[in-house]
Amino acid sequence: MEPCSGAESSGRIPVFSRCRPVVRALLSSTMLAAALPLAGASAAFAAAALPRLSAGAGPLNSLEVIWFSAFVGAVAFGVASAVGMVRVRRRAQSRIDLLTSENGDLKLRLDRLEGVLDTDDQRLVVWPSREAEPIVLGGLNGASGAPRSPAALLAFGTWLQPDSAARLESLLETLREQGAAFTLTLQARQGGFIEASGRTAGGWAVLRLRDLTGERARHADLAHDHARLNSDMTTLKALLDALDGPVWLRDPEGRISWVNRAYAAAVEADAGNAVEQDIELLDAAGRRAMSEERDDDGRFKARLPVVAAGRRHVFDVIDVARSSGSAGIALDTSELEQMRSELKRTVEFHARTLDQLATAVAIFGPDRRLQFHNAAFQTLFGLDPAFLESGPDDGAVLDAMRAARKLPEQADYRQWQKKHLESYQSLEPREVWWHLPDGQTLRVIANPHAKGGVTYIYENVTERIELESRYNALIRVQGETLDHLTEAVAVFGSDGRLRLWNPAFASFWQLSEEDLGESPHVSNVFGTCARLFPDPQAWKGLTTTITGLADNRARASGRMQRPDGNVLDYTTVPLPDGGTLVGFVNVTDSVNVERALMDKNEALREADQLKNTFVQHVSYELRSPLTNIIGFAQLLSDPKFGTLTEKQSEYTDYIMSSSSALLAIINDILDLATIDAGIMELDLGEVAISDAVAGAIEGVKDRLVETNIDLRVDVPADIGTFVADERRLRQVLFNLISNAIRYSDEGGVVELSCMRNHGEIRFVVRDHGCGIAKENIDSVFSRFVGHTSGSRRRGAGLGLAIVRSFVELHGGTVEIQSEENVGTTVVAKFPQKPKAAERDAAE
């Protein structure tokens, strides 16, 4: 019998009304059971009272009457109850029979409903309450992979895809707590699809599972594919949106339907506006090329210039067209092109650099073919350039080297070649030495590449080996040379310790092997040397020079006069390695000779001074008588004092001429003596150059007439003036012209010119006479030195000495150029304003 409940189920008959007779029967039975004890007690009382009444014992008391009445009432109630119970039982039995019949009908109906559910290929899961166990009804055909066992069915994660199982469990939890209905499609692990619906019915949570077949299965499959494609598209767009290069999608009409952020940034707009306004990234030429140059598969690929974000870039544009539209991407290759250009320039630079190296370099790739060689490689081995440019393999290059006799002689060449080519399998660099038949020695380094191939470096060490041999020989020669030098030599390192010395050093300072052994410090060495030269300050200064930390080390030199009479000159020489060379030279003999020469020189100076003083006094003493002679000769030649014969007049002229020449010589000697004494003063002033030249020419006119010499003067009319001593300037020009006349041939030409040049005045006197021999040019400005001039008499040798002295007093210089049988040119250069005049102006 089913429990009576107020709940109703779909397709069930209500049974609460049919249970009421049963409840009434139960209540009657309960009342009867309660009355039976009372009836028993009354019966007992009646059994005791009736004999008394029947015996006539007397009337009953009140208690007995009460009990008797109760007994009669109980009997009546019992009879009535019994009758009622019979009726109730009869009715209950009939109701039970009816309910039993109805229950059978309901069971039959339930079985039929379950059969109907089984025919619909679905399963129901019912949760009567939150705590109750679920009821599983119906069945699935198993095509979806759903298990038949209810327990296995409720373990959704074992037969559904993880995401489907998670969604179903979440929705069931909401259904059971909040009654929220749902419908969704689930995918089984075996690939089938199941429709799940969740509803509430009469407070129960019901889940219905149905296999999707036919059109519904195909629709679910399409929906799943659509969802997957949407997810993939969303992921793909997110990926494309994260790219740095512009990406776009177009609809079949060619309009832009989607762009990524890089595209929007390139056209300087946001993505929505770029799509709505159909803003193009490519220009018209680029779009036209994209539409015209697609291949048969609808693909377009080209490198196009594009203006993106206001700057010019170069993009690799790829666009694919299909019937549903097209998609494109632009990859910025500006930086790549720049890197390629930079890499190309770097490779070319490295190639040029390697070509400048004297070391031969050859690079072979993983296929053992020559990829690069520098000019030194081709020169070293004398291989044909065309052969090298063809990219031969390593073995062919070795064969060509062998044919050119540029490989070491080998008894088994093939074995040697095989061993040489093992460098391609090696992981570490290998180094070998080749001794070629022509006497060269090569150091060959084979450096394998990480990705295959080998780089060979051929270093010609022939000269280095020869230099090392020469260096060793030179070291031995230098050692022998130092050992046999008379000068003492010692070399101290940068740490101040003795590194090298020769026997003369030990001999000069009387040092023993113990004193010089084990590289003693300079302080110890000089401390021992101080026994022969006890001057602490000198040794301290020398030690500081050797061990000092000055930035600019310089040479130091000095002289030591030892108490034993020896005089030593020392010199310190900083060496490139930080060391210092100290040399001692015994100059005792030289010092003694120098002292003797100095004494002799002092004596000569005194003698020269005496000579100059004597000449000066003699000149002064001769000047007065000579003046008298000239005066008397002029008086004798004057007709006022009497007429002279022709012979007397001739003699008088000779006296005057000779006296004038002698007076000029005496004046020159006095001028030189004044210059030597340092008391010569110039009378500086503005000098008209043309007047000075004219005055000098006036003094030599008689000589020009006498020698029939043509004097050609070239003085610009606008030559102007300069500051000088006019008398001394005329004397300089007079002596230069006189000297040129003296050394010119009769009837010759003497040229005098004057010019301004860079702030100085130049006077040039040129003759075309016999010239001066090269060995005599250096002495022409010396005093009392003259040279013969053919038939003419030799001068006193004071003219050019006077010229140089006066020019140098003005702050100028004198130059002379001469060639024998060609002539002589003398150039006197005067400053435009002597320094003496500048000092006077400053004062």
Side-chain angles (χ1 to χ4, degrees):
M1 183 175 181
E2 294 183 358
C4 297
S5 174
E8 295 183 359
S9 177
S10 178
R12 298 294 181 93
I13 299 175
V15 296
F16 181 75
S17 60
R18 298 187 182 96
C19 293
R20 290 178 181 176
V22 179
V23 173
R24 291 174 181 173
L26 290 176
L27 291 175
S28 299
S29 299
T30 303
M31 293 174 63
L32 180 60
L36 285 178
L38 179 62
S42 299
F45 175 77
L50 285 178
R52 291 177 61 191
L53 292 175
S54 58
L60 299 174
N61 56 24
S62 60
L63 179 62
E64 288 176 347
V65 171
I66 292 172
W67 279 109
F68 180 78
S69 297
F71 171 74
V72 174
V75 171
F77 179 76
V79 173
S81 296
V83 173
M85 287 182 62
V86 171
R87 290 180 179 179
V88 169
R89 184 172 182 181
R90 187 178 298 161
R91 291 177 182 176
Q93 184 63 41
S94 62
R95 179 60 64 184
I96 289 172
D97 293 340
L98 179 62
L99 291 177
T100 301
S101 175
E102 289 181 355
N103 185 38
D105 293 340
L106 291 174
K107 286 185 177 180
L108 178 60
R109 187 176 182 182
L110 179 62
D111 291 338
R112 288 176 180 176
L113 289 175
E114 289 180 353
V116 172
L117 289 176
D118 290 341
T119 60
D120 197 24
D121 192 18
Q122 64 179 351
R123 300 198 78 172
L124 295 177
V125 182
V126 181
W127 286 270
S129 65
R130 186 167 183 82
E131 294 78 12
E133 292 293 329
I135 302 171
V136 180
L137 303 173
L140 297 175
N141 58 14
S144 61
R148 306 187 69 84
S149 169
L153 178 70
L154 295 176
F156 302 116
T158 61
W159 60 280
L160 291 177
Q161 293 288 349
D163 56 340
S164 297
R167 290 178 60 196
L168 178 59
E169 290 177 353
S170 176
L171 292 175
L172 284 176
E173 185 71 19
T174 306
L175 173 66
R176 295 174 65 184
E177 290 182 356
Q178 303 176 8
F182 65 87
T183 300
L184 76 160
T185 301
L186 306 176
Q187 186 178 15
R189 289 182 179 270
Q190 294 184 1
F193 293 94
I194 296 176
E195 182 184 65
S197 298
R199 299 287 186 275
T200 58
W204 291 2
V206 181
L207 170 66
R208 183 179 68 177
L209 301 176
R210 299 181 63 184
D211 280 332
L212 297 181
T213 58
E215 291 296 329
R216 298 183 65 185
R218 286 192 291 273
H219 177 73
D221 194 8
L222 290 175
H224 177 266
D225 290 343
H226 178 72
R228 179 175 55 81
L229 290 176
N230 279 338
S231 176
D232 293 345
M233 181 60 70
T234 302
T235 303
L236 180 60
K237 285 185 176 180
L239 174 63
L240 296 178
D241 206 35
L243 291 179
D244 294 333
V247 180
W248 61 91
L249 299 177
R250 298 178 185 273
D251 58 19
E253 287 75 24
R255 292 183 57 84
I256 296 175
S257 60
W258 180 85
V259 296
N260 67 345
R261 287 184 295 179
Y263 187 102
V267 298
E268 297 181 312
D270 56 39
N273 290 337
V275 173
E276 291 177 2
Q277 301 177 15
D278 198 24
I279 303 176
E280 294 287 351
L281 174 67
L282 303 180
D283 57 10
R287 296 194 300 274
R288 184 170 55 255
M290 186 168 60
S291 62
E292 295 176 355
E293 299 178 8
R294 295 185 185 274
D295 58 14
D296 296 338
D297 294 334
R299 290 179 300 180
F300 170 78
K301 184 176 181 181
R303 182 163 293 175
L304 302 175
V306 177
V307 177
R311 296 181 60 186
R312 184 178 178 85
H313 297 263
V314 178
F315 284 91
D316 277 344
V317 179
I318 303 173
D319 192 271
V320 178
R322 292 292 182 266
S323 59
S324 59
S326 64
I329 184 172
L331 302 177
D332 191 353
T333 61
S334 302
E335 185 176 354
L336 178 61
E337 288 297 319
Q338 183 178 1
M339 293 178 62
R340 285 180 178 175
S341 301
E342 186 66 25
L343 179 60
K344 183 178 179 181
R345 288 194 296 269
T346 302
V347 171
E348 292 176 352
F349 172 75
H350 287 170
R352 290 195 302 270
T353 302
L354 291 176
D355 278 337
Q356 299 300 320
L357 292 179
T359 302
V361 178
I363 301 177
F364 290 84
D367 57 353
R368 300 190 179 185
R369 303 191 73 84
L370 183 64
Q371 292 183 344
F372 172 80
H373 68 282
N374 63 350
F377 177 80
Q378 191 273 331
T379 303
L380 176 62
F381 295 105
L383 301 178
D384 184 13
F387 168 73
L388 296 177
E389 293 298 332
S390 65
D393 62 9
D394 201 347
V397 174
L398 290 176
D399 293 339
M401 292 180 181
R402 185 188 182 197
R405 294 182 59 81
K406 294 296 185 180
L407 289 181
E409 296 292 346
Q410 300 294 330
D412 189 351
Y413 169 71
R414 293 303 171 189
Q415 185 64 29
W416 177 88
Q417 184 188 49
K418 180 179 179 182
K419 184 176 180 181
H420 178 77
L421 296 178
E422 289 178 356
S423 299
Y424 288 92
Q425 286 77 38
S426 177
L427 298 178
E428 300 294 333
R430 301 173 62 185
E431 178 180 333
V432 294
W433 291 71
W434 287 1
H435 301 282
L436 305 185
D438 59 0
Q440 295 187 88
T441 301
L442 303 182
R443 176 173 171 258
V444 182
I445 300 174
N447 187 15
H449 299 175
K451 296 183 179 180
V454 176
T455 297
Y456 292 104
I457 300 174
Y458 305 88
E459 183 181 1
N460 193 342
V461 296
T462 307
E463 293 184 2
R464 191 181 77 180
I465 294 175
E466 184 178 355
L467 288 175
E468 288 179 356
S469 177
R470 292 181 180 178
Y471 175 76
N472 294 332
L474 181 61
I475 289 297
R476 291 193 295 270
V477 170
Q478 288 179 347
E480 293 294 328
T481 302
L482 288 176
D483 288 344
H484 292 84
L485 285 177
T486 58
E487 293 83 359
V489 176
V491 178
F492 294 89
S494 58
D495 57 353
R497 293 192 171 275
L498 184 64
R499 294 284 182 265
L500 178 67
W501 74 94
N502 64 347
F505 180 74
S507 176
F508 272 28
W509 297 103
Q510 299 179 9
L511 301 174
S512 62
E513 291 290 339
E514 291 77 11
D515 296 331
L516 299 175
E518 299 182 357
S519 300
H521 195 264
V522 61
S523 58
N524 298 331
V525 175
F526 288 165
T528 306
C529 297
R531 296 176 302 182
L532 300 180
F533 182 64
D535 187 349
Q537 293 300 324
W539 291 116
K540 182 178 180 181
L542 195 57
T543 302
T544 303
T545 302
I546 296 173
T547 60
L549 300 177
D551 294 335
N552 297 321
R553 299 194 305 154
R555 292 170 176 257
S557 59
R559 175 166 291 182
M560 297 180 177
Q561 296 185 2
R562 299 196 319 201
D564 58 2
N566 289 320
V567 180
L568 304 180
D569 280 349
Y570 67 86
T571 302
T572 63
V573 180
L575 300 179
D577 61 351
T580 305
L581 182 144
V582 182
F584 295 91
V585 181
N586 192 338
V587 294
T588 306
D589 296 337
S590 300
V591 169
N592 293 334
V593 172
E594 182 181 357
R595 290 171 180 170
L597 291 176
M598 290 179 65
D599 293 341
K600 184 176 181 180
N601 185 55
E602 189 64 27
L604 291 175
R605 281 185 180 178
E606 294 179 358
D608 186 62
Q609 185 65 30
L610 290 173
K611 180 196 71 172
N612 291 335
T613 304
F614 170 74
V615 170
Q616 185 177 1
H617 285 293
V618 169
S619 299
Y620 277 110
E621 293 297 330
L622 291 176
R623 194 171 191 178
S624 297
L626 186 57
T627 303
N628 295 332
I629 293 172
I630 293 173
F632 287 123
Q634 290 175 349
L635 291 174
L636 289 175
S637 60
D638 191 350
K640 290 190 278 186
F641 296 97
T643 304
L644 299 178
T645 63
E646 182 178 354
K647 203 66 173 176
Q648 289 174 341
S649 297
E650 182 179 355
Y651 290 156
T652 303
D653 292 339
Y654 285 153
I655 292 172
M656 291 176 63
S657 175
S658 298
S659 299
S660 297
L662 182 59
L663 182 60
I665 293 173
I666 292 172
N667 288 334
D668 290 342
I669 292 173
L670 290 175
D671 289 339
L672 289 175
T674 304
I675 293 172
D676 291 340
I679 57 175
M680 171 65 74
E681 292 184 0
L682 297 177
D683 184 12
L684 298 176
E686 288 290 335
V687 177
I689 298 175
S690 300
D691 296 343
V693 172
I697 294 173
E698 186 67 27
V700 296
K701 277 186 177 181
D702 55 343
R703 297 189 185 186
L704 294 173
V705 174
E706 180 182 352
T707 57
N708 193 23
I709 290 178
D710 182 15
L711 177 61
R712 298 176 182 176
V713 181
D714 181 14
V715 178
D718 58 348
I719 191 65
T721 63
F722 76 107
V723 178
D725 187 335
E726 184 175 2
R727 186 168 69 88
R728 299 305 181 186
L729 176 61
R730 289 186 179 185
Q731 190 173 353
V732 167
L733 296 177
F734 174 83
N735 286 340
L736 290 176
I737 298 172
S738 299
N739 189 72
I741 294 172
R742 181 179 296 112
Y743 289 96
S744 297
D745 297 332
E746 187 173 353
V749 176
V750 173
E751 300 172 3
L752 170 62
S753 61
C754 179
M755 66 194 73
R756 291 181 181 272
N757 185 20
H758 300 295
E760 64 182 13
I761 309 299
R762 290 190 178 188
F763 295 94
V764 181
V765 178
R766 181 181 295 108
D767 66 69
H768 303 278
C770 60
I772 303 172
K774 291 183 179 180
E775 60 271 13
N776 297 328
I777 288 181
D778 294 337
S779 62
V780 293
F781 291 106
S782 301
R783 301 172 185 179
F784 306 107
V785 176
H787 304 282
T788 59
S789 57
S791 60
R792 293 188 181 83
R793 67 183 178 85
R794 177 175 176 179
L798 296 175
L800 292 180
I802 290 291
V803 168
R804 185 173 68 175
S805 298
F806 285 155
V807 172
E808 290 179 351
L809 279 176
H810 282 80
T813 58
V814 180
E815 298 176 358
I816 186 170
Q817 297 177 357
S818 182
E819 186 177 350
E820 287 188 280
N821 301 321
V822 175
T824 303
T825 301
V826 180
V827 180
K829 302 177 182 179
F830 288 86
Q832 189 168 351
K833 191 172 185 181
K835 293 182 179 180
E838 295 178 356
R839 288 195 301 269
D840 293 342
E843 293 175 357

